[in-house]
Amino acid sequence: KHHEVHVYTLRLRGCKREEIHEGIRIHRVGIAHPLNRRSILALLSFYPFVLLALLKTLRKFDLIHANQAAGLLSFCLWPSKRPFLVTIHDLYLNRWKSFARFPLALLGRILEFFLSKGIYACILTVSRYSAKKLLTLGARGIAVVPNGIEVKAYRSKRKENLIVYVGRLVKYKHVDVLVEAISRLKTKARLIVVGEGEERSR
């Protein structure tokens, strides 16, 4: 309320380049990204396009809040002296090699190192576990703010116990643990799994 908010995000195929949603101005930049898989080229194209867009309109912003790897933009935008916050949900650290090959695994570790050293007013992360990982890389100014939902908006009169997982089906997400846990529940529950990945067939 009472603020003008702009969101710069990846350009997605089939979506408008610019639109207003619930008062928030959404700008989609870079090469069009496919909806059903990740494209390294489209991801990388985000940085120069968003940097150009921000530099053109930087004077109007009082605060910049970046999500995950977009925090790397802080190195380019620090002369503006605008407070720059970043939310880092998690780091892979030495797990890169378990799902990416050389040289991408090495590049991932290097990017995480620089991400932890960005020029930030504050680093927000979602758990103490993630905060500990950031501390191992020497990050400073960390605040833990767990992910939350507006509970009232999701109250249901449904009689059935329904659990939904939405995310990539990759080993380190441990969806198998969720399946095992639900099989041990004393009350009856139904699980819906939404996602793609190499663990889908299993």
Side-chain angles (χ1 to χ4, degrees):
K1 289 181 181 179
H2 314 298
H3 291 82
E4 185 179 330
V5 180
H6 292 252
V7 173
Y8 291 84
T9 185
L10 288 171
R11 191 173 144 218
L12 298 172
R13 282 183 195 157
C15 294
K16 295 176 183 174
R17 288 198 181 201
E18 296 208 0
E19 65 179 300
I20 297 174
H21 177 73
E22 294 184 4
I24 296 170
R25 296 173 185 272
I26 300 170
H27 310 268
R28 295 187 177 91
V29 298
I31 296 170
H33 198 285
L35 291 171
N36 61 346
R37 62 184 172 80
R38 292 191 174 191
S39 163
I40 298 293
L41 185 61
L43 285 168
L44 291 175
S45 77
F46 170 76
Y47 292 94
F49 280 92
V50 77
L51 188 58
L52 283 171
L54 281 172
L55 288 172
K56 282 180 188 174
T57 55
L58 201 54
R59 263 186 255 166
K60 75 188 295 182
F61 299 131
D62 301 301
L63 172 74
I64 300 168
H65 176 213
N67 187 53
Q68 206 69 21
L72 295 169
L73 293 168
S74 69
F75 291 108
C76 303
L77 298 174
W78 70 267
S80 72
K81 297 198 167 34
R82 299 292 190 279
F84 195 112
L85 305 174
V86 65
T87 296
I88 300 174
H89 297 273
D90 198 11
L91 297 173
Y92 297 140
L93 300 179
N94 58 359
R95 288 184 304 169
W96 275 99
K97 57 188 176 188
S98 66
F99 62 91
R101 294 180 184 170
F102 181 85
L104 281 179
L106 177 62
L107 181 62
R109 291 204 68 175
I110 292 167
L111 285 176
E112 282 187 343
F113 174 80
F114 282 105
L115 183 61
S116 71
K117 306 290 186 203
I119 304 164
Y120 312 124
C122 182
I123 297 175
L124 305 169
T125 192
V126 297
S127 69
R128 286 183 298 217
Y129 178 66
S130 294
K132 283 180 185 175
K133 288 183 183 180
L134 284 159
L135 287 168
T136 64
L137 293 179
R140 294 181 181 182
I142 302 166
V144 176
V145 182
N147 288 325
I149 60 166
E150 185 61 56
V151 177
K152 290 177 186 174
Y154 295 96
R155 287 218 170 113
S156 172
K157 294 178 182 176
R158 182 188 294 275
K159 292 179 181 178
E160 176 188 37
N161 292 316
L162 182 64
I163 298 162
V164 180
Y165 167 86
V166 181
R168 286 182 297 138
L169 301 178
V170 291
K171 203 165 189 176
Y172 70 88
K173 297 274 187 182
H174 297 294
V175 181
D176 58 323
V177 175
L178 175 62
V179 172
E180 178 68 22
I182 287 171
S183 73
R184 294 178 183 218
L185 288 175
K186 290 180 182 176
T187 56
K188 191 176 179 184
R190 188 158 66 101
L191 170 66
I192 295 175
V193 176
V194 181
E196 293 289 341
E198 65 264 21
E199 290 281 284
R200 186 182 173 95
S201 59
R202 193 164 79 85

